[in-house]
């Protein structure tokens, strides 16, 4: 891992022939040695888990790169993970890439942040351009406790009345397959999916045979391929603002660009997640944990204390 860190520093050359990380090490203005150590540990753990669990490294396909947002101005690649502050990160990326069009991330409406044409992804570039950016840009990702993220996705997509597209697309199928004697209304509207039914859907072998998981509940390792793409910074939802500011300083973003601090009181917490799992049997808890196990291992999350799988 130390050699990898050295390679990372030399790969990311700035205008003055130094990498941002070298500049960081040499600069007195950042008293962040403890934060550097944290990120070094996260990279090392990620590398160790990848070496232990991935037998064969496959080549990246353009389709694997649809979640990697590109900022050519600052030499930045961000792999977005839904339900891990990705709306705010997309807003920040629009400010960074907007040539002054946007000043404050919070001025950008949430729905505009998700319009695909507003940001370029790595899959849109040619193979040589892709390789150049993977080699020389700063690459980062943000992750979250997997079951907290899953419950957040369930709450957002299946318990909010405005998400009719998800109710029709997924809710009706889930109810048809996993509810005994569903009402005609439920079959038609799909707007009252229970968490238990959502879990059955995720574990049903037919689900992944028919199509990939939706990005809101797809595993992070399947969205961002952290064993193939060597991320320089692994940010965590639990230390969101601290990690976000660290990245913005690393790439020399304008000091006026600030990551928005969340004021949401509805956000999914660990205690809330535990309540959702109360009615899931130990058998299904274990199977669901196994489904998301790689994310737990790669990003150093421990088995939740509320699970009854020991």
């Amino acid at each position: 891992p130390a050699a990898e860190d050295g390679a990372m520093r030399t790969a990311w050359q700035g205008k003055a022939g130094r990498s941002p990380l070298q500049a960081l090490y040499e600069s007195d203005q950042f008293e962040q040695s403890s934060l550097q150590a944290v990120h070094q540990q996260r990279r090392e753990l990620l590398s160790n888990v990848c070496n232990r669990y991935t037998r064969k490294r496959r080549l990246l396909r353009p389709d694997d790169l649809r979640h990697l947002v590109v900022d050519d101005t600052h030499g930045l690649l961000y792999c977005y993970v839904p339900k891990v502050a990705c709306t705010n990160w997309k807003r920040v990326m629009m400010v960074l890439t907007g040539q002054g069009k946007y000043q404050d991330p919070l001025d950008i409406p949430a729905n505009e942040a998700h319009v695909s044409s507003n940001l370029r992804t790595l899959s849109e570039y040619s193979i040589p351009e892709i390789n150049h950016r993977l080699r020389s840009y700063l690459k980062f990702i943000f992750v979250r406790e997997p079951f907290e993220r899953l419950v957040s996705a369930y709450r957002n997509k299946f318990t909010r009345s405005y998400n009719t597209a998800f109710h029709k697309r997924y809710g009706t199928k889930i109810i048809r397959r996993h509810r005994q004697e569903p009402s005609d209304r439920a079959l038609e509207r799909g707007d009252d999916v229970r968490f238990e039914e959502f879990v059955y859907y995720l574990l049903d072998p037919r689900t992944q045979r028919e199509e990939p998981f939706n990005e809101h509940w797809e595993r992070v390792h399947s969205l961002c391929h952290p064993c193939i793409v060597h991320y320089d910074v692994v940010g965590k939802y639990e230390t969101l603002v601290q990690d976000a500011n660290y990245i913005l300083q690393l790439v020399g973003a304008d000091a006026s660009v600030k990551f928005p601090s969340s004021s949401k009181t509805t956000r999914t917490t660990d205690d809330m997640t535990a309540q959702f799992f109360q009615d899931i049997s130990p058998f299904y808890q274990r199977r669901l944990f196994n489904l998301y196990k790689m994310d737990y291992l790669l990003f150093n999350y421990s088995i939740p204390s509320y699970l009854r799988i020991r």
Side-chain angles (χ1 to χ4, degrees), residues 96-118:
L96 292 175
T97 59
Q99 281 92 41
K101 184 179 173 187
Y102 309 99
Q103 307 294 330
D104 183 349
L106 285 178
D107 288 342
I108 302 169
N111 60 338
E112 196 176 326
H114 295 292
V115 174
S116 57
S117 59
N118 283 334

mmCIF file of all heavy atoms in Angstrom, residues 96-118:
data_model
loop_
_atom_site.group_PDB
_atom_site.id
_atom_site.type_symbol
_atom_site.label_atom_id
_atom_site.label_comp_id
_atom_site.label_asym_id
_atom_site.label_seq_id
_atom_site.Cartn_x
_atom_site.Cartn_y
_atom_site.Cartn_z
ATOM 1 N N LEU A 96 -17.955 23.204 -9.859
ATOM 2 C CA LEU A 96 -16.549 23.059 -10.246
ATOM 3 C C LEU A 96 -16.358 23.060 -11.766
ATOM 4 O O LEU A 96 -15.372 23.581 -12.276
ATOM 5 C CB LEU A 96 -15.972 21.758 -9.665
ATOM 6 C CG LEU A 96 -15.819 21.684 -8.141
ATOM 7 C CD1 LEU A 96 -15.340 20.296 -7.714
ATOM 8 C CD2 LEU A 96 -14.852 22.748 -7.631
ATOM 9 N N THR A 97 -17.314 22.473 -12.495
ATOM 10 C CA THR A 97 -17.159 22.341 -13.953
ATOM 11 C C THR A 97 -17.919 23.416 -14.736
ATOM 12 O O THR A 97 -17.854 23.436 -15.964
ATOM 13 C CB THR A 97 -17.666 20.962 -14.435
ATOM 14 O OG1 THR A 97 -19.053 20.825 -14.084
ATOM 15 C CG2 THR A 97 -16.887 19.821 -13.802
ATOM 16 N N GLY A 98 -18.615 24.305 -14.037
ATOM 17 C CA GLY A 98 -19.550 25.214 -14.715
ATOM 18 C C GLY A 98 -18.974 26.496 -15.262
ATOM 19 O O GLY A 98 -19.733 27.349 -15.739
ATOM 20 N N GLN A 99 -17.639 26.679 -15.185
ATOM 21 C CA GLN A 99 -17.011 27.913 -15.689
ATOM 22 C C GLN A 99 -17.724 29.178 -15.188
ATOM 23 O O GLN A 99 -18.007 30.095 -15.951
ATOM 24 C CB GLN A 99 -16.963 27.930 -17.230
ATOM 25 C CG GLN A 99 -15.839 27.099 -17.823
ATOM 26 C CD GLN A 99 -16.298 25.679 -18.126
ATOM 27 O OE1 GLN A 99 -17.386 25.471 -18.608
ATOM 28 N NE2 GLN A 99 -15.451 24.718 -17.835
ATOM 29 N N GLY A 100 -18.046 29.168 -13.894
ATOM 30 C CA GLY A 100 -18.643 30.353 -13.288
ATOM 31 C C GLY A 100 -20.147 30.465 -13.436
ATOM 32 O O GLY A 100 -20.759 31.400 -12.916
ATOM 33 N N LYS A 101 -20.761 29.519 -14.129
ATOM 34 C CA LYS A 101 -22.214 29.579 -14.326
ATOM 35 C C LYS A 101 -22.946 29.427 -12.982
ATOM 36 O O LYS A 101 -23.992 30.023 -12.751
ATOM 37 C CB LYS A 101 -22.640 28.467 -15.292
ATOM 38 C CG LYS A 101 -24.116 28.482 -15.659
ATOM 39 C CD LYS A 101 -24.445 27.361 -16.634
ATOM 40 C CE LYS A 101 -25.934 27.249 -16.889
ATOM 41 N NZ LYS A 101 -26.287 26.068 -17.693
ATOM 42 N N TYR A 102 -22.403 28.573 -12.112
ATOM 43 C CA TYR A 102 -23.000 28.364 -10.788
ATOM 44 C C TYR A 102 -21.989 28.789 -9.725
ATOM 45 O O TYR A 102 -20.805 28.495 -9.840
ATOM 46 C CB TYR A 102 -23.341 26.886 -10.564
ATOM 47 C CG TYR A 102 -24.145 26.250 -11.675
ATOM 48 C CD1 TYR A 102 -23.521 25.470 -12.652
ATOM 49 C CD2 TYR A 102 -25.527 26.396 -11.735
ATOM 50 C CE1 TYR A 102 -24.254 24.876 -13.677
ATOM 51 C CE2 TYR A 102 -26.270 25.816 -12.755
ATOM 52 C CZ TYR A 102 -25.624 25.052 -13.723
ATOM 53 O OH TYR A 102 -26.356 24.468 -14.722
ATOM 54 N N GLN A 103 -22.471 29.471 -8.688
ATOM 55 C CA GLN A 103 -21.592 29.910 -7.601
ATOM 56 C C GLN A 103 -21.801 29.075 -6.344
ATOM 57 O O GLN A 103 -20.848 28.637 -5.717
ATOM 58 C CB GLN A 103 -21.857 31.390 -7.265
ATOM 59 C CG GLN A 103 -21.791 32.322 -8.464
ATOM 60 C CD GLN A 103 -20.402 32.434 -9.064
ATOM 61 O OE1 GLN A 103 -19.411 32.313 -8.364
ATOM 62 N NE2 GLN A 103 -20.339 32.651 -10.373
ATOM 63 N N ASP A 104 -23.059 28.866 -5.991
ATOM 64 C CA ASP A 104 -23.403 28.178 -4.742
ATOM 65 C C ASP A 104 -24.116 26.869 -5.075
ATOM 66 O O ASP A 104 -25.145 26.880 -5.754
ATOM 67 C CB ASP A 104 -24.313 29.083 -3.904
ATOM 68 C CG ASP A 104 -24.655 28.476 -2.551
ATOM 69 O OD1 ASP A 104 -24.368 27.288 -2.327
ATOM 70 O OD2 ASP A 104 -25.219 29.200 -1.709
ATOM 71 N N PRO A 105 -23.582 25.742 -4.595
ATOM 72 C CA PRO A 105 -24.223 24.447 -4.896
ATOM 73 C C PRO A 105 -25.705 24.420 -4.523
ATOM 74 O O PRO A 105 -26.514 23.827 -5.250
ATOM 75 C CB PRO A 105 -23.426 23.457 -4.041
ATOM 76 C CG PRO A 105 -22.096 24.078 -3.853
ATOM 77 C CD PRO A 105 -22.338 25.560 -3.805
ATOM 78 N N LEU A 106 -26.074 25.075 -3.425
ATOM 79 C CA LEU A 106 -27.466 25.010 -2.969
ATOM 80 C C LEU A 106 -28.421 25.822 -3.835
ATOM 81 O O LEU A 106 -29.636 25.711 -3.693
ATOM 82 C CB LEU A 106 -27.569 25.451 -1.512
ATOM 83 C CG LEU A 106 -27.064 24.404 -0.503
ATOM 84 C CD1 LEU A 106 -27.143 24.935 0.918
ATOM 85 C CD2 LEU A 106 -27.831 23.094 -0.611
ATOM 86 N N ASP A 107 -27.881 26.649 -4.745
ATOM 87 C CA ASP A 107 -28.739 27.369 -5.699
ATOM 88 C C ASP A 107 -29.235 26.443 -6.818
ATOM 89 O O ASP A 107 -30.145 26.810 -7.567
ATOM 90 C CB ASP A 107 -27.975 28.542 -6.332
ATOM 91 C CG ASP A 107 -27.754 29.681 -5.344
ATOM 92 O OD1 ASP A 107 -28.467 29.704 -4.311
ATOM 93 O OD2 ASP A 107 -26.881 30.528 -5.600
ATOM 94 N N ILE A 108 -28.616 25.271 -6.934
ATOM 95 C CA ILE A 108 -28.977 24.338 -8.007
ATOM 96 C C ILE A 108 -30.090 23.421 -7.509
ATOM 97 O O ILE A 108 -29.913 22.710 -6.527
ATOM 98 C CB ILE A 108 -27.749 23.493 -8.428
ATOM 99 C CG1 ILE A 108 -26.595 24.417 -8.885
ATOM 100 C CG2 ILE A 108 -28.124 22.504 -9.519
ATOM 101 C CD1 ILE A 108 -25.267 23.700 -9.069
ATOM 102 N N PRO A 109 -31.255 23.422 -8.178
ATOM 103 C CA PRO A 109 -32.346 22.530 -7.751
ATOM 104 C C PRO A 109 -31.906 21.059 -7.814
ATOM 105 O O PRO A 109 -31.123 20.678 -8.689
ATOM 106 C CB PRO A 109 -33.456 22.802 -8.775
ATOM 107 C CG PRO A 109 -33.103 24.112 -9.400
ATOM 108 C CD PRO A 109 -31.611 24.214 -9.362
ATOM 109 N N ALA A 110 -32.419 20.272 -6.873
ATOM 110 C CA ALA A 110 -32.016 18.854 -6.788
ATOM 111 C C ALA A 110 -32.266 18.123 -8.100
ATOM 112 O O ALA A 110 -31.418 17.350 -8.565
ATOM 113 C CB ALA A 110 -32.757 18.170 -5.652
ATOM 114 N N ASN A 111 -33.435 18.384 -8.726
ATOM 115 C CA ASN A 111 -33.733 17.645 -9.965
ATOM 116 C C ASN A 111 -32.766 18.027 -11.091
ATOM 117 O O ASN A 111 -32.432 17.204 -11.937
ATOM 118 C CB ASN A 111 -35.196 17.865 -10.386
ATOM 119 C CG ASN A 111 -35.518 19.328 -10.647
ATOM 120 O OD1 ASN A 111 -34.835 20.218 -10.158
ATOM 121 N ND2 ASN A 111 -36.556 19.573 -11.426
ATOM 122 N N GLU A 112 -32.267 19.283 -11.057
ATOM 123 C CA GLU A 112 -31.319 19.696 -12.095
ATOM 124 C C GLU A 112 -29.963 18.996 -11.914
ATOM 125 O O GLU A 112 -29.263 18.704 -12.885
ATOM 126 C CB GLU A 112 -31.122 21.218 -12.071
ATOM 127 C CG GLU A 112 -30.483 21.747 -13.338
ATOM 128 C CD GLU A 112 -30.374 23.268 -13.377
ATOM 129 O OE1 GLU A 112 -31.278 23.936 -12.834
ATOM 130 O OE2 GLU A 112 -29.391 23.756 -13.949
ATOM 131 N N ALA A 113 -29.614 18.714 -10.663
ATOM 132 C CA ALA A 113 -28.342 18.027 -10.390
ATOM 133 C C ALA A 113 -28.325 16.628 -11.002
ATOM 134 O O ALA A 113 -27.260 16.079 -11.300
ATOM 135 C CB ALA A 113 -28.097 17.955 -8.889
ATOM 136 N N HIS A 114 -29.524 16.048 -11.179
ATOM 137 C CA HIS A 114 -29.596 14.679 -11.700
ATOM 138 C C HIS A 114 -29.862 14.612 -13.205
ATOM 139 O O HIS A 114 -30.021 13.521 -13.752
ATOM 140 C CB HIS A 114 -30.666 13.882 -10.934
ATOM 141 C CG HIS A 114 -30.324 13.688 -9.485
ATOM 142 N ND1 HIS A 114 -29.271 12.894 -9.067
ATOM 143 C CD2 HIS A 114 -30.873 14.211 -8.367
ATOM 144 C CE1 HIS A 114 -29.201 12.924 -7.743
ATOM 145 N NE2 HIS A 114 -30.156 13.719 -7.298
ATOM 146 N N VAL A 115 -29.902 15.766 -13.871
ATOM 147 C CA VAL A 115 -30.046 15.758 -15.337
ATOM 148 C C VAL A 115 -28.705 15.321 -15.928
ATOM 149 O O VAL A 115 -27.680 15.964 -15.725
ATOM 150 C CB VAL A 115 -30.436 17.163 -15.859
ATOM 151 C CG1 VAL A 115 -30.431 17.189 -17.377
ATOM 152 C CG2 VAL A 115 -31.809 17.565 -15.317
ATOM 153 N N SER A 116 -28.719 14.199 -16.640
ATOM 154 C CA SER A 116 -27.454 13.569 -17.055
ATOM 155 C C SER A 116 -26.601 14.480 -17.944
ATOM 156 O O SER A 116 -25.369 14.427 -17.893
ATOM 157 C CB SER A 116 -27.731 12.244 -17.770
ATOM 158 O OG SER A 116 -28.590 12.449 -18.874
ATOM 159 N N SER A 117 -27.239 15.350 -18.719
ATOM 160 C CA SER A 117 -26.460 16.190 -19.647
ATOM 161 C C SER A 117 -25.687 17.306 -18.925
ATOM 162 O O SER A 117 -24.835 17.962 -19.528
ATOM 163 C CB SER A 117 -27.387 16.802 -20.700
ATOM 164 O OG SER A 117 -28.395 17.576 -20.071
ATOM 165 N N ASN A 118 -25.985 17.525 -17.628
ATOM 166 C CA ASN A 118 -25.304 18.592 -16.892
ATOM 167 C C ASN A 118 -23.892 18.204 -16.444
ATOM 168 O O ASN A 118 -23.101 19.072 -16.087
ATOM 169 C CB ASN A 118 -26.126 19.013 -15.668
ATOM 170 C CG ASN A 118 -27.306 19.892 -16.065
ATOM 171 O OD1 ASN A 118 -27.247 20.562 -17.089
ATOM 172 N ND2 ASN A 118 -28.353 19.871 -15.276
#
